[in-house]
Amino acid sequence: MNIHEYQSRELLQKFGIPVPPGILVQNPVASEKAFDELQKRHGSKVCVVKAQVHAGGRGKGGGVKLVKSGDEARKAANDILSRPLITPQTPPEGVPVMKLLVAAGVEIEKEYYLAITVDRVSACPVLIASSEGGMDIEEVARTKPEAIIREPISAVAGLRPYQARKICYFLGFKGTQVRMAGKIMHQLADLFLKADANLAEINPLVVTKATDEHPDGTVLALDAKLNFDDNALFRQDDVVAFEDPTEEEPAERRAKQFGLSYIKLDGEIGCLVNGAGLAMATMDIIKLHGSEPANFLDVGGSASEEAVTEAFRIILADKTVKGILVNIFGGIAKCDTIAKAIIVAAKEVGFTVPLVVRLEGTNVEPARKILEEAKGELPTMEIGSDLTDAAKKITALTGAPAA
Ligand code: GDP
Ligand code: MN
């Protein structure tokens, strides 16, 4: 699960990580007021107006604007809210912006990258840091891999003090920066472990310009991106409270309510499958036969009639779907039960696109009979004898070039 930057900042602060103050707004007038308020309360001479969307790279797309007056803050807000934000991480048409964060601006001496994520190879959290902050870490990894340090973190003991010191030394922190940055690393590790995060990224972590009070500057988090393990949300009420339904694909949200794992894709063949592995194999074989899947959809091992009906609805609501391939392995759920569910669901939803059904497993024979008998009622349905046959049929029926 993803959350917004303003929410991430809130969580960072809860774990003690210093973040510049900010105010969430939804219109240009409120943006101007927020600027005045930050100026009055914190003496901010500049602010940043930042689009709040679940996508990064906002700076590059014009979604982060430095402003020096209330007037500029209003204009920047108007500008950002007036059109979809397109960044390297959004779909090509961009995403709508509904909320903005007006944050006190800071004078940056240097930007760093600091993140914790799960290293699936070594099966433990890993802290990743670089003195090349502000930019894409993937880009740094490609062009300057020696500028990145990776430090495994014990999920039990957390980040150890010697590790924080090693990372500070690598990044070139000096004087009082070492203590400040080290503390932030410990706090971020604490957040990552306690909040069941998948990713806790601060980019940029900055050292501010020197002042009389802070000759080495101060260390602050200017942007944060947090992602959480969906399977741990049952024990993360604070995180669940951050959920923003407007940021999710509506069909994916509906699917979630019915216990379906659904991800929309760009192709034309809708897939209805039980089991994630089988769903992957189904998408592969569709591609192999020259077509593209319109979605990933796993109805789960039990595949109830209700879930299958909802799955049909979701797939058919997608206007790019030219045909549906149902691929079910009857294990715990028996094929004949599923065949009945498919017929009831298909009849209830009602559609005209080709449908190819392939069933295998427990009670497959009676299931095939049930499907055969229902052909009169479901004229666009065909039965696949095996997965290859089913994939060939659906790609042919939807007009894909023969592969
Ligand atoms: P992202 O592009 O979505 O990752 O958004 P960020 O919040 O990271 O902002 C992008 C860039 O804007 C940062 O790398 C900074 O260079 C710049 N920026 C953000 N906040 C400030 C600020 O308070 N002061 C200054 N001078 N630059 C900022
Ligand atoms: Mn950033």
Side-chain angles (χ1 to χ4, degrees), residues 27-353:
N27 62 65
V29 175
S31 173
E32 180 172 352
K33 276 196 191 139
F35 183 96
D36 295 342
E37 182 73 25
L38 290 168
Q39 193 167 47
K40 201 163 70 191
R41 265 198 279 156
H42 305 280
S44 317
K45 291 196 186 65
V46 289
C47 284
V48 264
V49 180
K50 312 178 82 176
Q52 298 300 290
V53 292
H54 286 186
R58 296 163 302 168
K60 282 183 198 138
V64 176
K65 290 190 196 296
L66 210 61
V67 294
K68 296 194 182 71
S69 68
D71 197 42
E72 280 184 27
R74 182 170 38 78
K75 285 186 183 138
N78 190 43
D79 191 50
I80 299 173
L81 290 168
S82 66
R83 57 175 163 268
L85 178 65
I86 303 170
T87 84
Q89 296 181 24
T90 64
E93 71 276 14
V95 290
V97 184
M98 326 277 260
K99 294 179 200 150
L100 301 167
L101 178 71
V102 182
V106 302
E107 284 198 82
I108 302 173
E109 176 66 34
K110 187 165 168 48
E111 302 190 30
Y112 299 83
Y113 178 93
L114 177 66
I116 301 175
T117 186
V118 178
D119 178 0
R120 293 181 193 279
V121 176
S122 48
C124 74
V126 60
L127 185 150
I128 300 167
S130 174
S131 53
E132 305 285 315
M135 53 195 273
D136 233 326
I137 195 68
E138 287 84 3
E139 179 71 20
V140 181
R142 220 170 15 247
T143 57
K144 217 177 160 192
E146 70 281 2
I148 297 177
I149 186 169
R150 299 167 60 88
E151 196 62 27
I153 298 176
S154 159
V156 179
L159 183 72
R160 303 299 189 93
Y162 79 88
Q163 295 183 297
R165 282 196 297 274
K166 178 173 152 190
I167 298 159
C168 283
Y169 179 75
F170 178 87
L171 295 176
F173 287 121
K174 51 183 194 296
T176 55
Q177 294 166 4
V178 174
R179 192 186 48 79
M180 291 189 273
K183 198 167 160 197
I184 292 173
M185 287 169 201
H186 283 290
Q187 288 159 331
L188 192 67
D190 199 29
L191 184 160
F192 181 89
L193 295 172
K194 290 205 176 119
D196 292 308
N198 280 327
L199 173 72
E201 181 189 75
I202 300 176
N203 188 25
L205 178 77
V206 301
V207 171
T208 61
K209 287 238 186 304
T211 59
D212 291 342
E213 197 187 342
H214 300 284
D216 291 333
T218 55
V219 186
L220 290 172
L222 285 204
D223 182 24
K225 182 168 167 48
L226 301 179
N227 179 277
F228 302 90
D229 184 346
D230 289 344
N231 293 318
L233 290 177
F234 72 94
R235 61 180 189 192
Q236 297 293 346
D237 293 347
D238 290 1
V239 174
V240 175
F242 285 141
E243 205 161 25
D244 182 351
T246 63
E247 287 286 326
E248 287 177 55
E249 169 81 22
E252 288 177 16
R253 197 165 75 238
R254 254 174 63 202
K256 216 193 271 175
Q257 286 165 0
F258 282 82
L260 309 167
S261 303
Y262 171 87
I263 294 160
K264 178 162 164 40
L265 302 168
D266 299 329
E268 59 279 354
I269 312 282
C271 307
L272 193 160
V273 189
N274 68 336
L278 194 59
M280 300 282 214
T282 307
M283 298 192 321
D284 279 351
I285 205 157
I286 287 172
K287 280 168 117 52
L288 185 68
H289 291 284
S291 203
E292 293 284 333
N295 66 277
F296 169 97
L297 195 155
D298 172 12
V299 295
S302 55
S304 69
E305 190 176 303
E306 200 195 10
V308 172
T309 309
E310 189 57 25
F312 267 113
R313 275 203 204 103
I314 290 169
I315 292 174
L316 287 163
D318 179 353
K319 292 295 164 234
T320 56
V321 168
K322 295 209 192 96
I324 301 178
L325 175 56
V326 174
N327 184 21
I328 301 274
F329 175 73
I332 300 166
K334 297 183 184 67
C335 287
D336 51 342
T337 318
I338 292 161
K340 280 183 214 149
I342 291 170
I343 293 160
V344 172
K347 272 200 281 194
E348 195 209 297
V349 177
F351 57 90
T352 51
V353 296

